[in-house]
Amino acid sequence: MLRSSASRLMGLAHGAAARQSTRTIVTAKLPDLAYDYGALEPVISGEIMQLHHAKHHNTYVTNFNVAMEKYAEAELKGDVATMISLQGAIKFNGGGHVNHSLFWKNLAPPGECAPPEGELLSMIERDFGSLDALKTKFAAQTVAVQGSGWGWLGYNKATQKLAVATTANQDPCSTVGLVPLLGVDVWEHAYYLQYKNVRPDYVNAIWDIVNWKDVAGNLAAAK
């Protein structure tokens, strides 16, 4: 009886280990763009777009996948210390991937960008007074980001209102309690080759390539 019970316990342990070892690891993939690298000119140069997408974003994807693989290995071993040590890399690189994936869709060639309308415009006018007032508030807060980070137009599910916020480094918009609708990258790699250290010019120019249809779609999905 004891031998039989021990055999069953060993079988259960082996089964649990097998299930854990075959657990799918979360991975990221560099998304394709819906436009050519040069399509956002003159607001953002093709050279910046190529470096930003193919190099910087791809690096976040690569490093996130490496961190997640190491995390899965540590979890399998029950190595909690290593799992904790990997949280920073997962947050930074995972955030970089999530943020940039939204950013690319938030943009479109100048000739394809129409002003916001419908419910999105109504909410902008209700919560900020006007589209111009939103742009002014967004620019002021985003330009003021110290070092590297992001400017956000987000939706607050609790208040059912729009809000402007900023995050440092690659922290996602969700870390400030908002669903991201529009994100603007103000890391220097996003603009320095073209705008040098004049961040306000970059932030004010980017409105010409904001894809408000995508922003409206994000709002509809958030509600």
Side-chain angles (χ1 to χ4, degrees):
M1 178 66 72
L2 290 175
R3 185 174 298 173
S4 176
S5 298
S7 297
R8 285 199 299 271
L9 289 172
M10 289 180 65
L12 290 171
H14 285 308
R19 287 192 298 273
Q20 192 170 17
S21 65
T22 57
R23 182 182 300 172
T24 302
I25 300 173
V26 176
T27 58
K29 180 182 178 182
L30 183 70
D32 294 329
L33 300 183
Y35 41 80
D36 294 332
Y37 286 136
L40 303 184
E41 293 182 346
V43 178
I44 302 178
S45 71
E47 181 183 14
I48 288 177
M49 284 299 300
Q50 183 173 14
L51 288 170
H52 199 172
H53 176 258
K55 300 295 184 181
H56 291 281
H57 188 172
N58 194 48
T59 297
Y60 296 128
V61 169
T62 299
N63 290 341
F64 174 75
N65 290 339
V66 169
M68 289 302 295
E69 184 175 355
K70 291 180 178 178
Y71 186 92
E73 293 173 355
E75 186 178 25
L76 186 60
K77 297 175 183 177
D79 185 353
V80 177
T82 297
M83 291 166 65
I84 293 172
S85 72
L86 289 165
Q87 292 298 316
I90 291 172
K91 179 182 179 182
F92 180 79
N93 293 291
H97 172 57
V98 169
N99 294 346
H100 284 87
S101 295
L102 177 81
F103 182 54
W104 307 134
K105 292 180 179 180
N106 280 163
L107 306 179
E112 299 178 14
C113 293
E117 57 185 12
E119 182 181 24
L120 174 60
L121 179 60
S122 296
M123 292 183 68
I124 288 173
E125 292 175 341
R126 181 197 68 187
D127 297 335
F128 300 102
S130 67
L131 178 60
D132 285 341
L134 163 63
K135 291 179 179 180
T136 298
K137 181 179 180 68
F138 187 98
Q141 292 186 213
T142 303
V143 168
V145 170
Q146 294 185 354
S148 302
W150 289 76
W152 301 101
L153 172 65
Y155 176 69
N156 187 320
K157 287 190 173 184
T159 63
Q160 298 184 345
K161 292 184 177 181
L162 303 180
V164 170
T166 61
T167 57
N169 301 314
Q170 293 296 349
D171 290 1
C173 185
S174 58
T175 60
V176 291
L178 300 174
V179 179
L181 307 180
L182 168 67
V184 174
D185 186 354
V186 287
W187 281 65
E188 285 193 341
H189 63 234
Y191 62 88
Y192 194 84
L193 288 178
Q194 185 172 353
Y195 293 89
K196 303 303 185 237
N197 63 336
V198 190
R199 182 185 285 177
D201 287 356
Y202 159 71
V203 173
N204 289 322
I206 209 166
W207 296 111
D208 291 338
I209 54 172
V210 168
N211 183 353
W212 288 107
K213 288 184 178 179
D214 182 69
V215 178
N218 292 337
L219 175 62
K223 297 187 71 177

